[in-house]
Amino acid sequence: MPTDQTDAVVAGHICLDMIPTFEGSIASLDALLTPGRLNVVGPLTVATGGAVPNTGLALHRLGVSTRLMGKVADDMVGRAILDVLRAHDPALAEGMILAEGRQSSYTVVINPPRLDRIFLHCPGANDTFGADDVDYDKLSGARVFHFGYPPLMRRMYADSGRELTDLLRQVKQLGPTTSLDMARPDPASEAGRADWRRILERALPYVDVFLPSFDETLFMLDRPRFDDLERTGDSDAQADAAILRELSDQLLSMGAAVVALKLGTQGLYLRTTDDPDRLASIGPCVPEDTALWVNRELLAPCFEVEVAGTTGSGDCTIAGFLAGLLRGLSPEEVMVAAVAVGACNVEKADATSGVPSWDAVQERIRSGWGSRPVAISLPGWQWHEEAGLWRGPGDPRIC
Ligand SMILES: Nc1ncnc2c1ncn2[C@@H]1O[C@H](COP(=O)(O)OP(=O)(O)OP(=O)(O)O)[C@@H](O)[C@H]1O
Ligand SMILES: [Mg+2]
């Protein structure tokens, strides 16, 4: 791997999505899934899925030189995953990990018109991904290391996150700024029953930038409130400033330097450490003017777009955030870049094809692109027209 050119390494969960198209309407899923029935379907769409290809390809499209580190087996699914990646750029796949004798991960997506989707997911090689799978030599020269979806990778959450913690500790010692995203586990599954507070307490001291979504964070840190919000509807719209502050307080005190919570249609919330030394320790992505990043609290609303599909929106928002960080931008600029890339993603049904070049994203922001109103309550917050986002009552730059 040509280490001198690699700015970002994206590691973690990868799978192959197999999506049959349905022609004509289906009365009900029961009719479709009747035992013994042959259902004629249309052409198969094959796409990569997971944090590695989604955030990785989005970074690549934004012009960041990126390498991918997902784990696949030497089987048809694994070869198809590598083919898809190499079709984007052969160099992207140079860091991929080949598992011995284990099935690659795939998902069959049953998505008939006007009916809810069903996923048949095989975790495959993602479940055996451990700290010793990473070829740490391949990280030298990388400025940022992003890891995605420990809740979908058994060894990462087993034993209170020992492998995840080992992996992040070793990466951090090598120098790159570390970044972590989560996923929402099925509450009834082994991952759903894991002690996520304990896992985060162990892992976050080695995470510089933590970028989970609001609902998965609530699931991990405040299960009763998560269950309450789930019962009463769209949890993102019901986030309020106090909950966001409370959750980010906990995550910062566990050790992260920068916390950004994805809020779905409500945008992206940022909270940073009040400790300048912790911020200075984030590695190559440390901003030139660290003071600009200390003790910040911002909320960037979504940009107004016509939504074709939200697949990969979280991953692309992260790519925008990391690309901005790599460019040494201010927190305001990084936040706006993140939601702008997320918005570009939802304009296309698939995971990454909506993401344009970095310059095109910036041009669109400068052209007066409107934002969606924020439904969550923000008492004492101020809207900053020039920056295009909200600043929290405790933010040092509030007027
Ligand atoms: N309707 C929308 N319009 C514009 N931007 C959107 C819209 N929905 C989501 N986004 C962007 O995508 C991001 C995704 O947030 P969300 O909380 O859904 O993350 P996530 O749960 O990690 O997503 P994913 O389902 O991709 O894992 C938001 O922060 C926002 O920037
Ligand atoms: Mg996500």
Side-chain angles (χ1 to χ4, degrees), residues 328-349:
L329 303 185
S330 70
E332 284 85 348
E333 291 165 325
V334 167
M335 287 289 282
V336 170
V339 289
V341 175
C344 291
N345 156 275
V346 304
E347 289 182 303
K348 290 276 164 65

Side-chain angles (χ1 to χ4, degrees), residues 42-391:
L44 182 72
T45 299
V46 175
T48 50
V52 168
N54 293 356
T55 300
L57 293 175
L59 279 166
H60 175 71
R61 295 176 76 92
L62 291 168
V64 175
S65 110
T66 304
R67 299 293 176 267
L68 307 183
M69 239 178 229
K71 188 171 174 183
V72 294
D74 184 15
D75 56 10
M76 267 177 69
V77 172
R79 285 190 289 276
I81 288 175
L82 295 176
D83 278 355
V84 173
L85 299 179
R86 290 186 185 121
H88 288 272
D89 183 340
L92 277 167
E94 281 170 16
M96 289 290 289
I97 301 156
L98 211 54
E100 291 202 2
R102 176 84 196 194
Q103 164 74 51
S104 300
S105 176
Y106 70 91
T107 307
V108 177
V109 183
I110 302 173
N111 190 16
R114 288 178 294 282
L115 293 176
D116 235 359
R117 282 184 296 185
I118 295 182
F119 299 98
L120 306 175
H121 176 65
C122 166
N126 292 312
D127 265 352
T128 68
F129 196 125
D132 54 0
D133 275 316
V134 172
D135 182 348
Y136 295 93
D137 290 343
K138 288 183 174 167
L139 297 184
S140 69
R143 295 169 62 212
V144 69
F145 175 90
H146 176 68
F147 193 87
Y149 302 177
L152 306 183
M153 305 172 78
R154 184 180 289 130
R155 282 184 74 195
M156 291 293 142
Y157 58 80
D159 199 7
S160 300
R162 187 170 56 84
E163 290 289 320
L164 177 66
T165 307
D166 275 2
L167 185 157
L168 292 165
R169 186 193 298 116
Q170 292 185 66
V171 172
K172 190 76 200 115
Q173 276 165 2
L174 290 169
T177 299
T178 53
S179 161
L180 180 66
D181 184 21
M182 287 290 167
R184 190 161 133 187
D186 171 358
S189 69
E190 195 186 329
R193 292 189 305 271
D195 184 350
W196 285 104
R197 174 175 292 279
R198 174 90 190 100
I199 295 171
L200 290 174
E201 281 168 353
R202 293 179 77 179
L204 289 190
Y206 309 105
V207 174
D208 297 311
V209 186
F210 187 43
L211 298 141
S213 72
F214 167 70
D215 56 353
E216 61 214 20
T217 307
L218 205 59
F219 177 89
M220 290 176 182
L221 296 182
D222 191 344
R223 200 52 198 282
R225 187 132 64 174
F226 171 87
D227 290 339
D228 261 8
L229 291 191
E230 281 282 287
R231 264 193 301 275
T232 50
D234 175 10
S235 56
D236 293 325
Q238 295 177 62
D240 67 41
I243 305 181
L244 293 170
R245 208 173 160 83
E246 198 181 305
L247 293 176
S248 57
D249 266 341
Q250 293 187 43
L251 298 169
L252 292 172
S253 69
M254 288 176 187
V258 172
V259 171
L261 301 179
K262 288 163 284 167
L263 305 174
T265 54
Q266 303 303 305
L268 184 65
Y269 170 84
L270 176 81
R271 188 84 194 289
T272 66
T273 176
D274 60 5
D275 175 3
D277 294 338
R278 173 67 184 96
L279 206 57
S281 75
I282 74 167
C285 286
V286 70
E288 218 169 278
D289 185 358
T290 40
L292 265 185
W293 278 84
V294 175
N295 199 21
R296 302 305 309 273
E297 187 178 34
L298 305 173
L299 193 150
C302 289
F303 280 106
E304 195 71 68
V305 282
E306 200 158 312
V307 179
T310 57
T311 303
S313 61
D315 300 313
C316 291
T317 302
I318 289 175
F321 194 98
L322 296 178
L325 210 58
L326 282 163
R327 286 171 174 264
L329 303 185
S330 70
E332 284 85 348
E333 291 165 325
V334 167
M335 287 289 282
V336 170
V339 289
V341 175
C344 291
N345 156 275
V346 304
E347 289 182 303
K348 290 276 164 65
D350 70 326
T352 53
S353 72
V355 177
S357 68
W358 175 263
D359 288 345
V361 175
Q362 293 303 310
E363 187 50 45
R364 197 166 173 190
I365 295 169
R366 279 193 299 271
S367 72
W369 193 1
S371 293
R372 284 174 63 111
V374 174
I376 64 181
S377 98
L378 297 171
W381 285 62
Q382 276 179 11
W383 172 252
H384 281 258
E385 187 61 38
E386 202 185 321
L389 43 60
W390 293 90
R391 288 185 179 142

